[in-house]
Amino acid sequence: MSEIGFSSLTWDQVLILDQVLDDVIPIHGRGNFPTLEVKPKYIIHVVKDQLIEQGIIVKDTRLNGSTASYILASHSGISYKDLDVIFGVELPNDQEFQVVKDAVLGCLFEFLPNGVEKEKITLKTMKEAYVQKMVKVCNKHDRWSLISLSNNTGKNVELKFVNSLRRQFEFSVDSFQILLDPILDFYSETNAKLTQESCPVVVAESMYGDFQEAMTHLQCKLISTRKPEEIRGGGLLKYSDLLTRDFKPACEAEIKSLERYMCSRFFIDFPDVVEQQRKIEAYLHNHFIGEERCKYDYLMTLRGVVNESTVCLMGHERRQTINMITLMALKVLGEQNILPSTDNVTCFYHPAPYFASEGGYSPYYVTAGPPPIFFQPYHPQHPQVPRGVV
């Protein structure tokens, strides 16, 4: 392709795409509902056909996000969890949203094992059994819905139906989309066998704008973006995740400005500390399944960014958020029954209260890495609620 934002997949990349689309992903049912064994290429095909049958205009289907990045640069150590599929559709009114929802839930019946009495199961029951979350967004700039199918290992099948979406990426490394329609059409052919000679042309697009520049960022693990003011509050969490996974800023001179933008937007979207904690906990749950030992590093990285780049909060509000993140990190350590490396811990003998000068001092603290964590002493003879971090 001649356009700067596009590139055709190589044969090796098409083989990886074929493997991803052919791998079986279990959709776990709640309660006594059986697990559905689903191949992405089948469920995408079935959903697309059902939407068209119900009168929904489907412009294209795309593989999005970390899955697309993995296919393009798996040799660089890139991995993925969720299978994120975008259906470009026309959703002029609320009725189409309901049609899309019913079509997806109806498609799940096709994957129920033999012997299940399907006629006794309603769409509402299928939603309660197999859908992890549903999102619907309708405003001036964005008109889309999301149906995420449950997977207990964090490898969710996320089906997004997009009429319009102002911002389709956060950073250049997650800006890739692979157009699936050519290979889906190939799969539909009788006795289709994928060879280098029969391989259809499959195209990838970078929503960042410059495909080769975005690919360089992905291969070299560099963090870059455009129009950071458009990134919503969750961008701060994604940015901290990239730092935890050894991604580095592409431009050190611009990164502080980017961090300030992301911190400000995070606190605008989640002004209350309870909302902030809920959002962070949800991110940990969705992105760190099977990586529990990375949670502490992630939280301390996030804490460092908030501590250094937050300019929009009063001092006590900032300390409140930092303390909340630190307590979450300590809770993670407690759950794993581990402490940070003793190389980074200095311990002091804490004398009895009648020896300590008024005000006391902290018995130990972590000295290396992110800003130090100070642990408040607890005196059994003077019951009080621990004050956390100072």
Side-chain angles (χ1 to χ4, degrees):
M1 301 292 287
S2 59
E3 293 89 343
I4 192 172
F6 295 82
S7 180
S8 297
L9 268 64
T10 66
W11 168 239
D12 288 340
Q13 289 170 335
V14 171
L15 286 178
I16 298 172
L17 171 62
D18 178 59
Q19 181 183 358
V20 168
L21 294 177
D22 198 52
D23 280 348
V24 174
I25 299 177
I27 307 300
H28 297 110
R30 294 184 179 89
N32 294 325
F33 278 83
T35 296
L36 309 183
E37 302 290 340
V38 172
K39 288 188 175 184
K41 64 182 181 182
Y42 292 147
I43 192 168
I44 296 170
H45 175 75
V46 170
V47 170
K48 180 181 177 181
D49 283 357
Q50 187 62 30
L51 291 175
I52 294 172
E53 186 176 321
Q54 295 299 321
I56 300 295
I57 296 175
V58 181
K59 293 173 284 188
D60 57 31
T61 55
R62 298 173 176 234
L63 202 57
N64 183 54
S66 62
T67 315
S69 298
Y70 166 78
I71 290 165
L72 295 171
S74 60
H75 59 280
S76 299
I78 304 298
S79 61
Y80 75 98
K81 281 191 170 66
D82 292 343
L83 188 88
D84 189 355
V85 181
I86 294 178
F87 294 81
V89 294
E90 293 189 8
L91 303 170
N93 53 56
D94 285 349
Q95 181 179 352
E96 275 72 20
F97 279 95
Q98 186 64 42
V99 171
V100 167
K101 173 184 171 182
D102 291 347
V104 173
L105 295 176
C107 289
L108 296 181
F109 282 93
E110 296 197 23
F111 299 95
L112 286 169
N114 294 331
V116 175
E117 298 184 19
K118 301 178 183 179
E119 62 276 2
K120 294 184 178 181
I121 303 175
T122 65
L123 293 180
K124 181 180 179 181
T125 302
M126 292 296 284
K127 172 181 175 294
E128 293 171 350
Y130 294 108
V131 174
Q132 183 188 54
K133 66 178 178 180
M134 300 184 73
V135 179
K136 176 182 175 183
V137 176
C138 293
N139 57 43
K140 182 179 179 180
H141 302 288
D142 301 323
R143 192 169 183 84
W144 56 272
S145 67
L146 169 73
I147 299 177
S148 179
L149 304 179
S150 299
N151 179 280
N152 296 340
T153 63
K155 195 173 184 179
N156 299 322
V157 176
E158 302 211 329
L159 308 176
K160 184 180 286 186
F161 304 88
V162 177
N163 182 96
S164 59
L165 184 58
R166 180 175 61 172
R167 180 83 181 195
Q168 297 197 45
F169 73 101
E170 291 171 324
F171 303 97
S172 59
V173 294
D174 63 12
S175 69
F176 298 101
Q177 296 181 359
I178 297 175
L179 281 74
L180 296 177
D181 299 280
I183 199 164
L184 293 177
D185 291 341
F186 176 82
Y187 290 144
S188 299
E189 296 177 6
T190 305
N191 299 322
K193 184 177 181 180
L194 188 63
T195 65
Q196 193 163 359
E197 291 71 28
S198 66
C199 177
V201 176
V202 181
V203 174
E205 179 181 6
S206 171
M207 310 311 291
Y208 176 74
D210 186 324
F211 188 93
Q212 291 305 322
E213 183 179 338
M215 273 299 293
T216 299
H217 294 163
L218 181 62
Q219 292 166 343
C220 299
K221 291 194 169 184
L222 299 176
I223 302 172
S224 182
T225 191
R226 290 180 175 168
K227 297 182 179 179
E229 68 277 3
E230 293 181 358
I231 300 177
R232 300 194 64 84
L236 173 64
L237 306 184
K238 174 68 174 181
Y239 171 73
S240 300
D241 193 351
L242 291 174
L243 291 177
T244 304
R245 300 179 192 280
D246 297 324
F247 282 73
K248 307 296 181 185
C251 179
E252 292 286 352
E254 297 176 358
I255 202 65
K256 287 303 176 185
S257 174
L258 173 61
E259 288 183 357
R260 287 193 291 270
Y261 268 122
M262 290 187 295
C263 286
S264 297
R265 187 57 193 253
F266 180 77
F267 292 116
I268 290 171
D269 289 354
F270 311 104
D272 180 77
V273 70
V274 175
E275 292 179 81
Q276 296 164 14
Q277 181 169 344
R278 188 179 299 119
K279 181 67 176 179
I280 295 169
E281 288 174 342
Y283 191 93
L284 289 172
H285 176 75
N286 292 331
H287 295 85
F288 286 87
I289 293 178
E291 297 180 297
E292 277 67 26
R293 287 187 173 269
C294 295
K295 289 181 179 180
Y296 173 78
D297 291 337
Y298 170 77
L299 288 167
M300 294 311 296
T301 300
L302 174 62
R303 180 187 187 275
V305 175
V306 172
N307 184 56
E308 295 174 12
S309 300
T310 298
V311 296
C312 62
L313 297 182
M314 299 291 288
H316 72 281
E317 294 174 322
R318 177 173 157 276
R319 287 191 297 272
Q320 189 178 35
T321 297
I322 291 173
N323 288 352
M324 176 269 293
I325 297 172
T326 308
L327 291 174
M328 288 182 67
L330 297 178
K331 181 181 177 183
V332 166
L333 292 181
E335 290 172 347
Q336 297 173 12
N337 196 28
I338 61 175
L339 283 173
S341 169
T342 53
D343 293 338
N344 298 336
V345 178
T346 302
C347 297
F348 297 94
Y349 167 67
H350 194 108
Y354 49 82
F355 283 125
S357 60
E358 191 169 330
Y361 51 84
S362 299
Y364 62 94
Y365 59 93
V366 177
T367 57
I373 305 175
F374 293 87
F375 297 80
Q376 191 74 13
Y378 172 68
H379 303 297
Q381 61 270 43
H382 300 292
Q384 59 180 357
V385 177
R387 293 174 57 192
V389 178
V390 296

